[in-house]
């Protein structure tokens, strides 16, 4: 062992009974509540750690300082996904205002995404940053019910609003009707977990459940943009997963053309994908983000 060097210890979680869910099917209430409670614990622990430090978490752990705007490929995907939605809405018909909005907004989505992830007190926690069902492993009891969850892949973790993780999760893991009908229950489960950890650690609550709901709403555009990007990935078959090298090898326009062709094939073979994506626009309209 060399002093000051890092060590990574790997553990085969399959031996402990953990496994992934089918990402194309989405999550039910039992899985969702487990995830939200775990996210609540993660956020709360970060608040407790910060309260015991003289310096900020960003100063102590500089790997937390990230700027999403520096991720070139990510924003190429985001803009491509937004433009693709304008094409889908145009094919559906009767949605010209949405078509126009998507085309106008596509070049601006990178800056919008970045602005939404800025830190703002008192909503300042350590977020997972890539909070979708492909990064969760579940353990089940003998009856097949989920009883435990582990969050994986913290490469994108950063200090920002809890609304980022919550919107990322809510808009990538199930359809719009399920999200809307169960939102009070889901946010309550998260906040109860968050507050119980802070109370056990002797720390004051930085925001109320009512303030959390408002912050979640303020970040809904982040959820929408994330959904445009993640939902097709979650529901695609393995051979349709995008390789980053495709952007470099063929150029941007060729990449977008290929992505659109793949996407149309997905829509033809998976009607649920179309429903999931249209529900994103339904939420935008319902919350007054677009007319």
């Amino acid at each position: 062992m060399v002093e000051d060097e890092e060590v990574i210890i790997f553990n085969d979680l399959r031996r402990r009974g953990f496994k992934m869910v089918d990402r194309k099917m989405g999550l039910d209430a039992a899985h969702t509540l487990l995830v939200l409670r775990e996210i609540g614990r993660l956020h709360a622990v970060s608040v407790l750690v910060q309260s015991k430090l003289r310096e900020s978490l960003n100063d102590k752990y500089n790997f937390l300082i990230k700027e999403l705007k520096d991720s070139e490929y990510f924003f190429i995907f985001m803009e491509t996904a937004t433009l693709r939605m304008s094409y889908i809405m145009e094919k559906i018909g009767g949605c010209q205002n949405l078509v126009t909005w998507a085309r106008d907004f596509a070049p601006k989505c990178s800056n919008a995404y970045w602005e939404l992830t800025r830190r703002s007190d008192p909503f300042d926690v350590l977020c997972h940053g890539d909070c979708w069902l492909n990064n969760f492993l579940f353990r089940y009891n003998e009856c097949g019910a989920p009883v435990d969850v582990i969050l994986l892949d913290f490469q994108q973790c950063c200090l920002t609003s809890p609304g980022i993780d919550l919107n990322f999760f809510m808009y990538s893991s199930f359809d719009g009707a399920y999200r809307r009908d169960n939102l009070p229950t889901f946010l309550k489960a998260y906040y109860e977990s968050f507050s119980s950890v802070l109370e056990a650690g002797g720390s004051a609550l930085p925001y109320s459940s009512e303030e959390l709901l408002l912050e979640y709403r303020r970040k809904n555009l982040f959820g929408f943009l994330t959904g445009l990007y993640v939902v097709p990935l979650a529901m695609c078959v393995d051979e349709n997963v995008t390789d980053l090298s495709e952007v470099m090898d063929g150029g941007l326009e060729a990449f977008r053309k290929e992505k659109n062709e793949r996407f149309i094939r997905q829509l033809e073979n998976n009607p649920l994908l179309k429903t999931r994506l249209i529900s994103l626009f339904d939420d935008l309209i319902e919350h007054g983000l677009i007319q």
Side-chain angles (χ1 to χ4, degrees):
M1 185 72 68
V2 180
E3 186 176 356
D4 295 329
E5 287 198 359
E6 296 180 347
V7 175
I8 298 177
I9 299 175
F10 291 95
N11 185 4
D12 187 353
L13 295 173
R14 293 172 297 181
R15 295 183 177 180
R16 294 168 53 189
F18 286 92
K19 58 184 178 180
M20 296 179 66
V21 297
D22 183 348
R23 67 174 188 265
K24 295 184 288 296
M25 298 303 296
L27 299 180
D28 60 17
H31 289 84
T32 299
L33 292 173
L34 279 176
V35 172
L36 288 168
R37 290 171 183 138
E38 191 66 14
I39 295 172
R41 285 190 283 269
L42 168 66
H43 291 174
V45 167
S46 72
V47 175
L48 289 176
V49 171
Q50 179 62 80
S51 69
K52 300 181 185 302
L53 295 176
R54 294 181 179 180
E55 62 209 301
S56 72
L57 281 171
N58 270 346
D59 291 336
K60 185 171 180 61
Y61 305 106
N62 58 18
F63 63 85
L64 294 175
I65 302 175
K66 292 186 177 69
E67 293 191 356
L68 288 174
K69 63 181 179 181
D70 293 334
S71 180
E72 177 183 0
Y73 290 132
F74 179 76
F75 289 119
I76 288 174
F77 291 160
M78 290 296 302
E79 184 174 341
T80 299
T82 308
L83 289 172
R84 188 170 59 227
M85 278 306 297
S86 72
Y87 173 79
I88 297 303
M89 302 309 289
E90 189 171 46
K91 295 285 285 185
I92 293 172
C95 308
Q96 189 56 44
N97 59 331
L98 300 181
V99 173
T100 301
W101 179 87
R103 288 176 177 169
D104 290 344
F105 185 73
K108 309 170 188 175
C109 65
S110 297
N111 286 335
Y113 206 89
W114 163 242
E115 289 296 328
L116 287 163
T117 60
R118 285 185 180 274
R119 297 168 61 187
S120 58
D121 290 334
F123 304 100
D124 195 12
V125 300
L126 178 66
C127 281
H128 181 280
D130 195 11
C131 202
W132 69 297
L133 53 82
N134 222 41
N135 289 331
F136 312 140
L137 292 180
F138 296 93
R139 183 171 61 83
Y140 299 83
N141 62 19
E142 61 277 5
C143 298
V147 294
D148 198 5
V149 63
I150 287 180
L151 308 184
L152 304 175
D153 293 346
F154 282 81
Q155 295 96 322
Q156 298 302 319
C157 65
C158 58
L159 290 174
T160 185
S161 164
I164 295 302
D165 269 353
L166 290 171
N167 272 281
F168 200 129
F169 177 56
M170 298 284 195
Y171 279 83
S172 64
S173 301
F174 24 78
D175 65 32
Y178 190 76
R179 179 173 55 250
R180 288 190 298 271
D181 292 346
N182 293 282
L183 181 63
T185 300
F186 291 162
L187 289 184
K188 180 181 178 182
Y190 164 86
Y191 191 76
E192 286 178 347
S193 177
F194 176 78
S195 58
S196 66
V197 172
L198 288 180
E199 289 168 358
S203 180
L205 296 175
Y207 45 83
S208 67
S209 58
E210 292 78 11
E211 290 169 329
L212 173 67
L213 174 59
L214 293 175
E215 177 68 1
Y216 171 79
R217 293 297 190 200
R218 282 191 289 267
K219 303 299 184 183
N220 278 163
L221 181 58
F222 177 92
F224 166 77
L225 293 172
T226 299
L228 283 184
Y229 172 63
V230 172
V231 168
L233 289 177
M235 304 188 72
C236 73
V237 294
D238 291 340
E239 59 265 26
N240 286 330
V241 175
T242 299
D243 185 343
L244 287 176
S245 63
E246 296 176 14
V247 185
M248 299 178 63
D249 295 341
L252 180 56
E253 291 307 315
F255 164 75
R256 286 177 172 162
K257 180 179 178 181
E258 171 63 17
K259 285 291 290 180
N260 283 338
E261 290 175 354
R262 291 184 185 181
F263 189 72
I264 295 304
R265 291 196 296 269
Q266 279 186 258
L267 284 176
E268 291 172 348
N269 297 325
N270 189 349
L272 182 59
L273 173 59
K274 178 178 176 181
T275 302
R276 290 273 298 274
L277 290 172
I278 291 176
S279 75
L280 299 177
F281 276 107
D282 289 340
D283 273 20
L284 278 185
I285 295 170
E286 180 181 340
H287 301 317
L289 296 174
I290 59 176
Q291 297 299 314

